[in-house]
Amino acid sequence: MKTALVTGANSGLGRAIAQGLAAAGWRVGLVARDCARGEAALAEIRSATGNPHLQLFVADLASQAEVRALAESVLEHFDALHLLVNNAGTAFRERRPSPDGIERALAVNHLAPFLLTQLLLERMTASAPAQIINVGTRMNTAMDLDDWNWERRPYRMMAAYGQSKLGNLHFTFELARRLAGTGVRVNCVFPGVFRSNLGGTDGAQGLFWRLVDRLIGWALPTPERAARGVLRLAVDDSLAQVAGAYLWNGRPIQAPPQARDPEMNRRVWALSLAATGLQDASGHQ
């Protein structure tokens, strides 16, 4: 039986991905920030799919201590890990530092998947063939690497969100180069625009966005439809050789210029190592 871990799995896209994998017979670990919502999602997925092989992990991904504890728990419960879906994402109307002093969108959207992936990578390599899927967004932006923590600039919600999510692409492309020949591949998937609760529990969905959802939300694709691209990459054998790609609907799309620059990928990697206290393969922090 193949084993997957999905972050942000209690609602929206993450829940749809988790349910799709459960329906396909995978053992699935669901990561949720809130225990009650996580337990409710797990029970509903189990009821819908009849799959008893579901495990809930509770962690606030804004906290690096909780990400580390999550990784330890996953390694304790799962002796193999074939798929990691870094899906959890959020946005904030104002700058809010994480417990580690990091702007919270950057902490959750980029540094949490960076740290979690690194902590689980040895288990995934031992489980190869295995795959990491980073759920990205599509915004033409660039990270300000001289102030990525928003300490000097006026804070803007969408700019902070977009730059933190661009980190997913930098991470994907640099990690793909480092994983060549290991049997573990990594890709970034843009699920498209769909009816989402992004940032809803973090205060990002103000009156304007609630009105937009009420007026045209019915016309947007459901999370279940948006999940198809992620699930296809996970289960379709014809895509088993795809690695280091940025995809939408199963087709490659072009990343913003900054993310296509290998030197910028390496700079973001180095900043991420420093921000998470990790060391690279050469032993340097």
Side-chain angles (χ1 to χ4, degrees), residues 6-284:
V6 182
T7 67
N10 62 282
S11 66
L13 182 67
R15 174 176 163 169
I17 294 168
Q19 183 160 322
L21 291 168
W26 288 58
R27 176 170 58 168
V28 183
L30 294 82
V31 181
R33 181 175 57 177
D34 181 87
C35 184
R37 290 198 295 266
E39 288 178 345
L42 186 148
E44 290 166 4
I45 292 172
R46 179 173 289 155
S47 175
T49 65
N51 187 335
H53 303 289
L54 306 177
Q55 174 75 42
L56 176 65
F57 299 94
V58 178
D60 181 353
L61 299 182
S63 164
Q64 292 183 19
E66 293 201 30
V67 174
R68 291 177 183 275
L70 166 63
E72 289 181 6
S73 185
V74 171
L75 294 174
E76 178 183 344
H77 285 87
F78 292 165
D79 57 1
L81 185 60
H82 304 94
L83 174 65
L84 170 61
V85 182
N86 288 311
N87 161 76
T90 191
F92 300 90
R93 286 192 289 181
E94 64 282 324
R95 186 184 186 279
R96 291 175 53 190
S98 74
D100 306 289
I102 297 166
E103 189 276 315
R104 206 168 276 250
L106 177 67
V108 174
N109 298 344
H110 170 59
L111 291 175
F114 179 89
L115 177 58
L116 181 62
T117 300
Q118 304 286 2
L119 297 174
L120 298 177
L121 199 51
E122 185 176 347
R123 181 63 48 86
M124 297 194 75
T125 303
S127 308
Q131 182 179 187
I132 300 151
I133 298 177
N134 296 319
V135 176
T137 191
R138 195 171 188 183
M139 298 180 74
N140 187 16
T141 187
M143 299 180 81
D144 183 340
L145 301 186
D146 295 320
D147 187 31
W148 78 336
N149 202 26
W150 293 86
E151 294 170 309
R152 297 189 295 274
R153 294 174 289 165
Y155 187 81
R156 293 178 292 133
M157 181 182 77
M158 291 309 296
Y161 171 75
Q163 290 183 37
S164 69
K165 293 299 291 180
L166 189 66
N168 299 152
L169 280 171
H170 283 291
F171 175 45
T172 297
F173 296 153
E174 180 62 20
L175 183 60
R177 284 188 281 269
R178 292 167 178 256
L179 289 178
T182 65
V184 181
R185 59 196 177 101
V186 57
N187 294 288
C188 185
V189 175
F190 170 54
V193 178
F194 63 96
R195 194 166 189 176
S196 168
N197 188 42
L198 175 70
T201 56
D202 294 316
Q205 290 197 353
L207 176 60
F208 173 77
W209 292 110
R210 289 197 296 270
L211 287 172
V212 169
D213 181 71
R214 184 174 298 176
L215 290 171
I216 65 170
W218 59 269
L220 296 175
T222 64
E224 289 73 22
R225 181 176 173 185
R228 293 175 188 170
V230 179
L231 291 168
R232 182 184 173 199
L233 188 58
V235 304
D236 189 340
D237 290 340
S238 70
L239 300 175
Q241 302 306 313
V242 176
Y246 180 33
L247 304 167
W248 179 26
N249 288 333
R251 298 187 300 272
I253 54 177
Q254 189 172 71
Q258 188 193 61
R260 302 198 303 270
D261 183 342
E263 178 56 33
M264 295 301 289
N265 299 158
R266 287 188 287 268
R267 283 189 62 190
V268 172
W269 184 278
L271 282 170
S272 304
L273 286 175
T276 54
L278 291 172
Q279 294 183 335
D280 64 22
S282 65
H284 298 296

